Amino acid sequence: MLLWQNIAERKQEALQNVFKVVEVTEDTIDPAIWGKNYPRQYDSYSRTVDVERTRHGGSEAFQKLDDDPRWRILFKGYAFGVDYREERGHAYMLKDQEETERVKNFKQPGACLHCHASVLTAYQQTGVKAGIPNDAAHRQQAIMKGFEEVCAMPYAEANKLVSHPVSCVDCHDPATMALRVTRPGFINGMQVLAQSSDPLPHLPSVERWRKGSRKTPYDPNLEASRQEMRSMACAQCHVEYYFKGEKKLLTYPWHKGLKADQIEEYYDEVGWKDWVHADSGAPVLKAQHPEFELWSQGIHARSGVSCADCHMPYKREGAIKVSDHHIRSPMLNISRACQTCHHYPEQEILSRVNAIQDRTKNLMLRAENATVDLIKALNEAGKQGKNDEQLKAVRALHRKAQWRLDFIAAENSTGFHAPQESARLLGEAIDFARQGQIKLLEVNKPTGKP
């Protein structure tokens, strides 16, 4: 009798997973207000302030340029060569951007806020000011118009429109709490990705859309499964991007596919460069944080494992099952993040991950050395009077080497999201850099002419 009574109470408790004490709407940005209805999720979201570290990752804002001075050479002439700190948790994403020397001492556009602030309301209100009707039927149109307007603003002006880092409204429908994507850059990016010919077996809704009429653009909010959405919600920001054109429109370069080579091919085609390297003179690229792109090349994506499965694993509080919003490395939570699928001891799982990341890190250091060697050789060739035409092919190899190195260095998994793809890119980075040094020997060869 007592057992039956206990089970009945637990089942009743499991149904009571929402405490509706306030109304939340599309304009409710403050997560603390959402937290009154969803205290369990808010409690864990609040823990993103924690400073924690694994062997190759962490959330303490140390200066990477001091930790590895080779990056001062690799980023020379660019804002990242002045300030390149370790990222902290989501709670700090806006504060850290406001305080970095890259924003304080360099001219930046409002486009930077797309992935560092809760921007939905700011976009909608800016779109209305630009002439879009202020009603529910035109809300999405106003958001897309406001996105364009805010991207083009100076950072300081756009920053006045926002007040919080990423919040509940960015990933959840306030009426139903259903997962959704809201970032205009991601929605636009998925449309061009769907139109590409890149095979995407880990995104079955895109493959289905491709086989359909294609009369309307791919819309993740209508066509993606919930499991796909548990990665897409993260992919709104954890991606590669660039600021397109004079109006600095934030653009995800997925027109040819998600692989680093395909993104590079797109950048080459449109003639994009992030800056001209101060020592080598090469038009180089800066990778942002391409977690979604690298995860897409790995076994977890191919097996249907989402970002949330590992970084926001389910937990139980009493009889209630909730998604952990303390987003962090799975290595800090192996029992819930890994052992639900991998039935091995925690130490065995940790050893396997450490082995992959140790190997990636060692390969990355070799790629850093090779690319720095090429930069120094190009700088010396320039000092000796070699002209742009003579150095053009070598500079192109610098661009290729640095792009592949930075793609893995900037990505937050030290190669774990796709170990073979990471090794391939770093191996190519070393090869391109050493090819550049060999080609310079030919450029520097005496001609025999007086």
Side-chain angles (χ1 to χ4, degrees), residues 31-247:
I33 297 175
W34 289 68
K36 294 179 180 179
N37 290 351
Y38 306 97
R40 294 180 177 87
Q41 288 84 353
Y42 179 68
D43 281 351
S44 55
Y45 165 89
S46 302
R47 296 311 332 145
T48 59
V49 298
D50 290 351
V51 175
E52 299 175 291
R53 185 151 195 87
T54 62
R55 182 183 293 196
H56 292 293
S59 53
E60 67 275 55
F62 67 88
Q63 182 57 263
K64 293 183 181 181
L65 300 175
D66 295 335
D67 185 61
D68 185 351
R70 280 169 290 211
W71 287 97
R72 289 191 191 279
I73 300 172
L74 290 160
F75 290 145
K76 196 167 182 179
Y78 196 50
F80 275 84
V82 175
D83 193 349
Y84 183 35
R85 293 177 224 179
E86 179 75 295
E87 301 89 345
R88 295 197 287 178
H90 280 179
Y92 295 108
M93 61 164 60
L94 180 57
K95 179 181 173 63
D96 285 357
Q97 185 179 63
E98 292 168 342
E99 294 180 353
T100 176
E101 301 297 321
R102 300 199 302 270
V103 167
K104 291 167 67 176
N105 296 332
F106 294 83
K107 187 179 177 182
Q108 301 290 0
C112 296
L113 289 167
H114 185 269
C115 294
H116 281 262
S118 188
V119 288
L120 209 57
T121 302
Y123 287 162
Q124 194 267 337
Q125 292 175 350
T126 304
V128 169
K129 285 183 181 176
I132 306 298
N134 187 16
D135 57 45
H138 293 87
R139 179 176 172 78
Q140 189 59 26
Q141 188 182 350
I143 289 170
M144 300 305 280
K145 178 62 179 175
F147 163 61
E148 296 173 7
E149 297 286 319
V150 173
C151 281
M153 290 179 185
Y155 180 85
E157 182 183 342
N159 183 252
K160 295 175 184 173
L161 304 174
V162 300
S163 54
H164 283 279
V166 65
S167 182
C168 316
V169 73
D170 297 299
C171 303
H172 291 284
D173 183 322
T176 65
M177 282 303 285
L179 269 177
R180 65 177 183 179
V181 291
T182 57
R183 294 290 196 272
F186 178 78
I187 293 170
N188 292 341
M190 285 304 300
Q191 288 180 4
V192 298
L193 177 63
Q195 290 164 0
S196 78
S197 57
D198 187 30
L200 300 169
H202 63 300
L203 298 175
S205 66
V206 176
E207 297 286 2
R208 282 197 297 274
W209 177 87
R210 287 172 171 173
K211 293 174 183 173
S213 67
R214 301 192 179 199
K215 288 182 179 176
T216 56
Y218 173 79
D219 184 344
N221 283 316
L222 294 177
E223 301 180 67
S225 68
R226 183 174 181 279
Q227 184 65 358
E228 287 175 279
M229 201 61 82
R230 295 179 79 230
S231 292
M232 290 184 178
C234 308
Q236 295 186 91
C237 297
H238 288 264
V239 291
E240 165 65 13
Y241 57 82
Y242 79 111
F243 301 151
K244 182 180 181 180
E246 293 185 1
K247 293 191 174 181

